[in-house]
Amino acid sequence: MKSKNKMKDLSKNARNIKKKYSLNEAIKFLKNQKKAKFIESVDVAVQLAIDVKKMEQNIRGSFAFPNGFEKKRKIAVFTSGRSAEKAKILGIKLIGMEDLAEKLVRKKNKFDLVIASVESMKIVKKVSHIIGPRGLMPSLKTGTITEDIESCIKEVQNGKAFYQNDKNGIVHSSVGKIDLDEKKIEENIRFFLKHLIRSKPISAKGAYIKKLHISTTMGKSVEIDLSNLSC
């Protein structure tokens, strides 16, 4: 009997995953899934109608969500002096100039983001072959080249989104934690979509957002019905 019930549950879950949800329904579904032993992130994957072979259609940017959330990232910060001291106070371990570049060349440290002061960019360019292919090269466009290292780190620690499309034209981002209020998660997702739409390349034609999926760190991914989704 238990085996039959288990099969029914699996079948029901399979139908749920294939179904297209409204954004509100999808968030409720994710919140009702079996919880992991940690607070999971809510992640989105947006398939864009862009030709990644055309440089001008590739997108990259950053923004702060209306509803901030703590996100742990291992950050490498190229800076010195007072800015380096402030970065250390904020809990950053990978800080330096030439010495940090040497650490990255030796590949002894893993990191998710690189922030750099303007004065350090000559040094950063020496390791561009390491951080560039990973999409981690600092830029003015994303705000990761900055004179205000302290503010940049704080924004990142509060969930600031850095995004760029992958080779398949898909943009991935965390939009909150699963314990965040449903309305706040939805607001963050809509804010992210609006930002992507504003970043639409002039040469991109047709419906810009082709598919949208949301998921939790350990949970199932569900597809959003775009027919009634307004941003």
Side-chain angles (χ1 to χ4, degrees), residues 72-96:
K72 292 183 180 179
R73 292 188 179 108
K74 193 166 186 180
I75 307 170
V77 179
F78 282 89
T79 193
S80 60
R82 181 62 178 153
S83 291
E85 292 174 11
K86 290 180 179 179
K88 188 175 182 180
I89 292 171
L90 290 171
I92 307 303
K93 305 295 183 184
L94 295 173
I95 310 167

Side-chain angles (χ1 to χ4, degrees), residues 128-144:
S128 61
H129 61 291
I130 296 172
I131 62 180
R134 293 178 57 188
L136 299 178
M137 192 69 184
S139 76
L140 291 170
K141 187 174 182 180
T142 61
T144 46

Side-chain angles (χ1 to χ4, degrees), residues 36-176:
K37 292 182 179 180
F38 61 94
I39 300 174
E40 298 173 83
S41 293
V42 178
D43 304 312
V44 298
V46 188
Q47 174 75 60
L48 300 177
I50 57 175
D51 185 348
V52 297
K53 294 180 181 178
K54 296 179 179 179
M55 187 64 67
E56 73 276 9
Q57 289 198 21
N58 284 265
I59 65 168
R60 183 181 186 185
S62 66
F63 64 91
F65 284 106
N67 303 298
F69 60 97
E70 184 179 353
K71 182 173 182 180
K72 292 183 180 179
R73 292 188 179 108
K74 193 166 186 180
I75 307 170
V77 179
F78 282 89
T79 193
S80 60
R82 181 62 178 153
S83 291
E85 292 174 11
K86 290 180 179 179
K88 188 175 182 180
I89 292 171
L90 290 171
I92 307 303
K93 305 295 183 184
L94 295 173
I95 310 167
M97 296 288 272
E98 291 281 3
D99 55 331
L100 178 56
E102 290 175 8
K103 287 180 182 178
L104 301 192
V105 168
R106 293 199 299 268
K107 299 181 180 179
K108 289 187 177 180
N109 301 93
K110 293 182 179 180
F111 50 95
D112 308 305
L113 183 71
V114 179
I115 297 172
S117 60
V118 176
E119 65 174 357
S120 73
M121 284 309 295
K122 287 184 180 179
I123 297 171
V124 176
K125 287 176 182 177
K126 293 179 182 179
V127 292
S128 61
H129 61 291
I130 296 172
I131 62 180
R134 293 178 57 188
L136 299 178
M137 192 69 184
S139 76
L140 291 170
K141 187 174 182 180
T142 61
T144 46
I145 297 177
T146 178
E147 292 292 3
D148 193 346
I149 296 291
E150 182 181 20
S151 293
C152 186
I153 292 171
K154 286 180 178 178
E155 287 178 349
V156 170
Q157 291 175 334
N158 199 38
K160 184 175 183 180
F162 294 87
Y163 67 87
Q164 66 182 84
N165 60 272
D166 64 17
K167 63 181 180 180
N168 297 309
I170 300 173
V171 177
H172 301 268
S173 179
S174 292
V175 293

Side-chain angles (χ1 to χ4, degrees), residues 178-191:
I178 194 62
D179 63 343
L180 195 63
D181 181 79
E182 288 179 20
K183 289 185 178 179
K184 290 183 177 180
I185 293 174
E186 184 171 345
E187 283 176 4
N188 280 359
I189 293 174
R190 290 185 183 278
F191 189 86

Side-chain angles (χ1 to χ4, degrees), residues 18-34:
K18 290 179 181 178
K19 172 187 172 182
K20 289 186 180 181
Y21 289 74
S22 70
L23 190 52
N24 182 260
E25 288 175 336
I27 294 168
K28 288 181 183 296
F29 174 75
L30 295 185
K31 277 185 166 288
N32 288 329
Q33 288 188 104
K34 183 179 179 181

